[in-house]
């Protein structure tokens, strides 16, 4: 579930109305079970074709992508500070650990002391050959989809990546991919890495527009 | 006394199974293990100089101490290999359990034995009432509670077990059928306590539970809501309680302008004791001799063994052991959660179904959360009426509902103790409290530190604070004005045993800098933008004792002056061994070299027998039974309820007094060449010990070793074995010793002369505490107060405790460092309970098998004011004052003090626990 | 399956074949009977399972054993609580824990001893300012849960050991 409710969409943009109407209509028709399903799945890019305006469509697609980005599997290692979060409720990681100089932990407690090269399921312990924290500028804990979008696009904060490279990172990076295979006891991010990549590609194709505010 | 020698008692249960219960036998020759587990034998005994605990060395060197440390190969005489068992539990209690699908456990993962409800029935096992109803949910039934076991799987090989538990942990092998909703069960207990004081403090009560009894509902509405008898002043206790109770409530509802009435609700949460060692046990059923040996870490060794005996008492051949041998280890934390749990029963079943092969059954932490005893969640509605002019509380009425979870366990008793504790330290002339503990499909709630009073006194002390504020009275002055004095009557109508020191505690709180400087601190610190500062105070009293407490102790002195103690209490961190050693040292002059605890068997010579229920027995029944000089109302009770200091050490103190009076003292007289007729011969109470030397005015000091050697040489009493029973007062008996009557607060005695064997001395007369004393809610009590300063961060709503002071009175503290340790640990647990810990009750709660630390938050070092928490223990009123229990009382006032401080800081009265940042965010 | 070789308290163990899924905690407790290292939560939240790992570069750190496979300790050098006393002589920390009544039930004590030991060794190499001592201790120990004591006496014991040898541990 996203950490924050999206802020109210500005009503003075006429093209927003159809989107809003579509969303409201969708909201009134969902049951709790359907809502839970919606949280775990990702709508495919085709389902956004109903939105005629490319910019509005692009923004809406990013909002869908943000279901993944704001999921604990991602936010836990994209924290606001220097300490990772843990589990499902955004609590600080225990034992207490810090990113250190390189994001792989302090000398006294490197991530790899516990996090092995792959998930260690008997210990419900996530793992990956490069388990580490995203750099400080890439922390987005507590931010809105719009703010995350701007951050992701900003070369000063995204490690100098082009849009193409952002797509590659999300669609193919294996540490990112861990979010969908986190091991026993952890809820996977919504959808699949492939679906998320497709959405990112669609977002870029329609202009990489950020939802506001 | 040789280390490995154990005297087996022929405790023959009604079913014919012999019980022998011993402290864990050491795994290696005495030299090694004496160093590790019996501190007296090593070169350095930290307790000898008053520094450190007697189990200190063992605990810092990783010695095997806890039940979870032992495997079969550690136990002499056992087969070497340990097999492993696990319980499969239902994470659903609203659908029919359809059976276990073990298809994924084929081949190497296949269990050797699967035990289900059908097997338990087949062998004729009967569940003791405390653990009703079913040890396993049978296929075709809806589980009684979330986490109820459906099967016990036993694996010969650890590797198979280790691999199988990974397969089983997602719960899919446990199949469910149609939805039925939760299984309804009647409430576990309900009572009503009504008291109306007489017109003046000294006058007899108009009405009280002590006079009339405890009232019960006549039925339950919707299966859960108590319906009280129609009011009739001259009716039975149920009707008369209704009569007086309704009048009290009418008075509170009458809108009398001269009386301030506050009507408040308060709700508390379910929490886990979260002791660090998960429950487990080791069992071995040796079919060659029919002995079932169990290694357990429990607070209630006697109850564990007798429950297993009760389970198997009518089992069919091959499953009814001839003898149950209990070996009781240290426990890695208890807090009440290891008192009366069903784990020993499952360990016994595992051993029986894998006969001749030792088997270990234990919980991982997910399972411990799923099955371990919880603290009751309470919902309470309280009404208080205070005379505006005088500030005196006139009346109090409350209704409590406890969620007892899936099994009865101690729920009825927790409800009663919570109810009788609901008026805390106050004198209130009109009280009406009802309580009911209901069954639910949640995890079983039972005994946990505070035992209901943590919940009810938190509600009370926040209500008191709000009342003081409404009356514009200083919170401590208001408490002073209403504090129950010594000889004042409790809610049940009895007086406390001993002086009530509430005024001293209140004075200490009043004078402490944290309290005095609260306004200045608020002004100073709130200059930091975004922080609110507040100070809160609370003062409570907690009883110790259960109304049927026992103490079993043997104390002996060897010719070289070595002292040894055997006792039935269990060590769960409370330092009971050290406390015993210190208490006996006061009488015999030296710190014990050997203290063996969790010994329930080593009292064979007393040949005790018990019949009936000490809580329910009629006076005539007790009088008749008491004619048998070996009869006692109860043989051994659990280590719980703050009873360590007062109850558990009492027997050792009495035994030591016998040894002194009839062993060491006559020996000293011999050495001083004082004739029996000399007047000084009777002045044994004037003698004092100093540095292991006996000192009498105008006589040469005698070293303990010399006196002990002489006592042995002249065949004086060098060892005494005693039993004591307390139903809010100790039983008292007279024995013929050395041709003279010896009267003491014990009811059974055996003595050893010189180096001989222990031989029983029948009592010549005995007075057991009257059965009517069962009507007391509390009798022994300690008072504790806390003042706390908090900071509330406004945007996030985070509460931080920045400083605190707690003060307690406990008679003579046997080991002051341990009392301080209890205060510090109680403080941490209180902070957790107030601010951090919470468990959902049902499907989202730990019964679903998915909870662990992480989502469950307990206090860490950084959550506490490590440099700013001050503890004080008041000195005893007189040097010889007996010790009193404190382990629970020191936790309680912290919680309402924090709530009161939050109000002082924010103006918000929080009426539920825990207080979360979400509740205060943006304040 | 992996063949495991490692050193524990200075003694070599192995070669022994172990399953890759076996936790280090089970290896120590079930296979070797070294139960001084405890099992508390199985989720690296309480650290009663923590041991000391001595790296080849001369640094040491603690490691949980409940969530880490035994095979991850292959070729490592490990210290457990059973190895802290030398030739029957308790370490300064062990003595201080006893003197201060630092523990009650004692179940978390091995973890606290190991963590404190590593802290001392770290301070000996990189001393801290006296003014930072309290936060240094709390930061080092904050991963360890204790349910009995409230941490007070653990902190005092560690503090006193450091202050008793201030020139070594403090600037």
């Amino acid at each position: 579930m996203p950490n924050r409710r999206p802020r109210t969409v500005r009503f003075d943009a006429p093209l927003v109305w159809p989107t809003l109407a579509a969303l409201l209509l969708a909201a009134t028709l969902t049951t709790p079970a359907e809502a839970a399903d919606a949280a775990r799945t990702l709508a495919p890019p085709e389902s956004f074709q109903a939105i005629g305006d490319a910019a509005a469509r692009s923004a809406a697609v990013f909002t869908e992508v943000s279901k993944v980005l704001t999921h604990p599997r991602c936010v836990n290692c994209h924290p606001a500070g220097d300490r990772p979060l843990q589990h499902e409720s955004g609590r600080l990681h225990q034992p207490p650990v810090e990113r250190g100089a390189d994001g792989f932990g302090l000398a006294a407690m490197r991530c790899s002391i516990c996090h092995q090269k792959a998930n260690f399921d008997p210990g419900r312990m996530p793992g990956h050959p490069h388990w580490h924290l995203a750099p400080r500028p890439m922390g987005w804990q507590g931010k809105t989809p719009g703010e995350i979008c701007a951050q992701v696009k900003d070369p000063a904060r995204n490690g100098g990546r082009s849009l193409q490279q952002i797509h590659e990172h999300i669609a193919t990076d294996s540490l990112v991919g861990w979010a969908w295979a986190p091991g026993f006891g952890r809820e996977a991010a919504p959808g699949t890495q492939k679906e998320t990549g497709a959405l990112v590609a669609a977002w870029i194709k329609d202009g990489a527009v950020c939802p506001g505010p | 006394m040789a280390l490995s020698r154990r005297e087996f008692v022929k405790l023959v249960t009604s079913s014919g199974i012999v019980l022998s219960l011993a402290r864990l036998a050491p795994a290696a020759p005495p030299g090694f293990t004496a160093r590790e587990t019996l501190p007296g034998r090593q070169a350095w005994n930290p307790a000898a100089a008053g520094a450190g605990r007697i189990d200190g060395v063992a605990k810092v060197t990783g010695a095997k101490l806890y039940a979870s440390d032992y495997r079969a190969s550690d136990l002499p005489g056992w087969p070497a290999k340990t097999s492993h068992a696990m319980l499969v539990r239902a994470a659903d209690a609203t659908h029919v359990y359809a059976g276990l699908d073990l298809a994924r456990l084929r081949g190497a993962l296949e269990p050797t034995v699967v035990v289900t409800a059908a097997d338990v029935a087949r062998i004729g096992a009967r569940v003791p009432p405390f653990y009703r109803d079913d040890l396993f949910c049978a296929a075709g039934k809806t589980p009684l509670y979330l986490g109820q076991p459906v099967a016990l799987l036993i694996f010969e090989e650890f590797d198979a077990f280790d691999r199988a538990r990974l397969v089983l942990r997602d719960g899919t092998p446990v199949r469910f059928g149609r939805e039925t909703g939760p299984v309804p069960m009647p409430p576990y207990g309900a009572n009503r306590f009504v008291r109306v004081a007489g017109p003046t403090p000294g006058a007899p009560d108009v009405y009280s539970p002590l006079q009339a009894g405890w009232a019960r509902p006549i039925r339950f509405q919707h299966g859960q809501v108590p319906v009280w008898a129609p009011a009739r002043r001259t009716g039975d206790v149920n009707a008369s309680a209704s009569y007086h109770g309704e009048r009290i409530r009418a008075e509170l509802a009458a809108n009398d302008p001269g009386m301030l009435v506050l009507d408040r609700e308060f709700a508390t949460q379910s929490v886990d004791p979260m002791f660090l060692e998960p429950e487990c046990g080791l069992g071995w059923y040796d079919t060659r001799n029919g002995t079932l040996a169990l290694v357990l870490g429990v607070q209630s060794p006697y109850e564990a063994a007798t429950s297993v005996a009760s389970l198997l008492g009518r089992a069919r051949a091959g499953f009814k052991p001839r003898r149950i041998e209990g070996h009781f280890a240290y426990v890695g934390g208890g807090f009440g959660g290891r008192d009366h749990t069903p784990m020993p029963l499952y360990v016994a079943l595992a051993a029986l179904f894998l006969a001749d092969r030792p088997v270990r059954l234990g919980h991982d932490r997910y399972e411990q959360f799923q099955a371990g005893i919880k603290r009751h969640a309470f919902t309470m509605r309280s009404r208080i009426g205070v005379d505006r002019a005088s500030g005196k509380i006139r009346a109090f009425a409350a209704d409590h509902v406890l969620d007892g979870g899936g099994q009865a366990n101690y729920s009825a008793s927790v409800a009663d103790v919570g109810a009788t504790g609901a008026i805390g330290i106050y004198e209130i002339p009109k009280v009406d409290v009802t309580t009911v503990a209901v069954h639910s499909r949640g995890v079983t709630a039972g005994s946990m530190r505070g035992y209901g009073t943590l919940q009810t006194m938190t509600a009370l002390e926040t209500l008191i604070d709000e009342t003081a504020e409404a009356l514009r009275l200083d919170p401590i002055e208001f408490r002073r004005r209403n504090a129950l004095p010594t000889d004042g009557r409790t809610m049940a109508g009895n007086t406390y045993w001993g002086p009530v020191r509430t005024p001293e505690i209140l004075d200490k709180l009043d004078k402490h800098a944290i309290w005095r400087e609260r306004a200045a601190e608020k002004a100073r610190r709130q200059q930091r933008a975004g922080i609110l500062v507040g100070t809160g105070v609370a003062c409570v009293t907690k009883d110790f004792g259960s109304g049927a407490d026992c103490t079993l102790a043997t104390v002996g002195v060897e010719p070289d002056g070595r002292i040894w103690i055997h006792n039935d209490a269990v060590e769960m961190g409370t330092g009971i061994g050290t406390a015993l050693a210190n208490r006996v040292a006061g009488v015999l002059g030296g710190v014990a070299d050997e203290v063996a605890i969790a010994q329930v068997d080593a009292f064979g010579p007393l040949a005790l027998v018990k019949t009936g229920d000490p809580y329910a027995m009629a006076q005539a029944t007790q009088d008749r039974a008491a004619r048998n000089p070996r009869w006692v109302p109860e043989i051994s009770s659990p280590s719980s309820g703050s009873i360590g200091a007062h109850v558990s050490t009492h027997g050792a103190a009495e035994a030591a007094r016998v040894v002194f009076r009839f062993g060491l003292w006559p020996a000293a007289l011999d050495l001083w060449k004082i004739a029996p007729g000399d007047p000084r011969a009777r002045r044994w109470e004037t003698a004092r010990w100093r540095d292991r030397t006996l000192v009498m005015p105008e006589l040469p000091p005698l070293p303990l070793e010399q006196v002990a050697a002489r006592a042995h040489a002249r065949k004086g009493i060098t060892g005494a074995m005693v039993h004591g029973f307390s139903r809010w007062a100790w039983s008292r008996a007279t024995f013929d010793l050395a041709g003279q009557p010896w009267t003491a607060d014990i009811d059974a005695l055996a003595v050893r002369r010189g180096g001989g064997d222990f031989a029983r001395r029948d009592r010549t007369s005995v007075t057991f505490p009257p059965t009517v004393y069962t009507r007391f809610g509390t009798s022994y009590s300690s008072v504790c107060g806390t003042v706390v300063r908090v900071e509330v961060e406004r945007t996030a709503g985070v509460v931080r405790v920045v400083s605190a002071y707690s003060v307690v009175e406990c008679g003579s503290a046997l080991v002051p460092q341990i009392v301080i340790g209890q205060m510090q640990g109680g403080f941490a647990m209180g902070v957790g309970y107030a601010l951090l810990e919470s468990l959902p009750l049902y499907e989202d709660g730990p019964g679903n098998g998915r909870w662990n630390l992480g989502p469950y938050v307990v206090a860490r070092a950084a959550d506490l004011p490590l440099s700013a928490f001050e503890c004080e223990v008041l000195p005893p009123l007189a040097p010889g004052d007996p010790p009193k229990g404190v382990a629970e009382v020191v936790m309680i006032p912290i919680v309402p003090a924090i709530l009161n401080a939050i109000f002082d800081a924010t103006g918000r009265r929080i009426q539920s626990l825990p207080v979360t940042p979400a509740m205060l965010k943006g304040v | 399956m992996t063949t495991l070789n490692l050193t524990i308290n200075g003694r070599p163990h192995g070669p022994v074949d172990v399953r890759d899924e076996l936790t280090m905690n089970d290896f120590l407790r079930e296979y070797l009977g070294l139960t001084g290292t405890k099992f508390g939560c199985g989720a690296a939240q309480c650290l009663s399972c923590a041991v000391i790992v001595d790296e080849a570069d001369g640094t040491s750190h603690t490691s949980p054993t409940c969530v880490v496979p035994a095979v991850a300790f292959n070729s490592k050098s490990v210290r457990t609580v059973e190895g802290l006393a030398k030739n029957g002589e308790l370490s300064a920390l062990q003595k201080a824990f006893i003197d201060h009544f630092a523990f009650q039930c004692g179940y978390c004590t091995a973890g606290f001893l190991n963590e404190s030991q590593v802290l001392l060794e770290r301070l000996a190499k990189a001393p801290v300012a006296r003014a930072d001592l309290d936060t240094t201790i709390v930061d080092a120990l904050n991963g360890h849960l204790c349910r009995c004591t409230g941490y007070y006496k653990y902190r005092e014991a560690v503090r006193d050991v450091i202050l008793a040898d201030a020139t070594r541990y403090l600037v």
Side-chain angles (χ1 to χ4, degrees), chain C residues 57-134:
Chain C
D57 65 1
T59 61
S60 299
H61 57 83
T62 55
S63 174
T65 55
C66 67
V67 292
V68 185
V71 301
F73 289 80
N74 201 12
S75 308
K76 299 271 190 201
S77 182
V78 167
R79 279 182 275 164
T80 70
V81 64
E82 288 98 337
L84 292 178
K86 294 277 176 280
N87 301 316
E89 175 84 18
L90 297 176
S91 71
L93 280 168
Q94 286 171 310
K95 287 201 194 114
F97 278 18
I98 292 177
D99 281 343
H100 281 73
F101 287 80
F103 50 86
Q104 290 176 30
C105 86
Y107 199 76
C108 68
T109 302
F112 274 90
L113 278 170
N114 287 336
E115 198 73 64
S116 307
Q117 183 63 35
V118 163
L119 172 65
L120 290 187
E121 292 170 11
R122 187 160 61 84
L123 291 179
K125 291 191 185 144
V128 296
R130 173 75 176 82
D132 294 333
L133 179 55
D134 279 351

Side-chain angles (χ1 to χ4, degrees), chain B residues 121-144:
Chain B
R122 180 173 53 84
I123 67 166
R126 296 163 315 154
V127 185
F130 213 78
Y131 305 108
R132 240 185 257 124
D133 257 355
D134 299 325
L135 286 182
F136 298 97
C137 180
K141 287 176 82 163
T142 300
L144 189 59

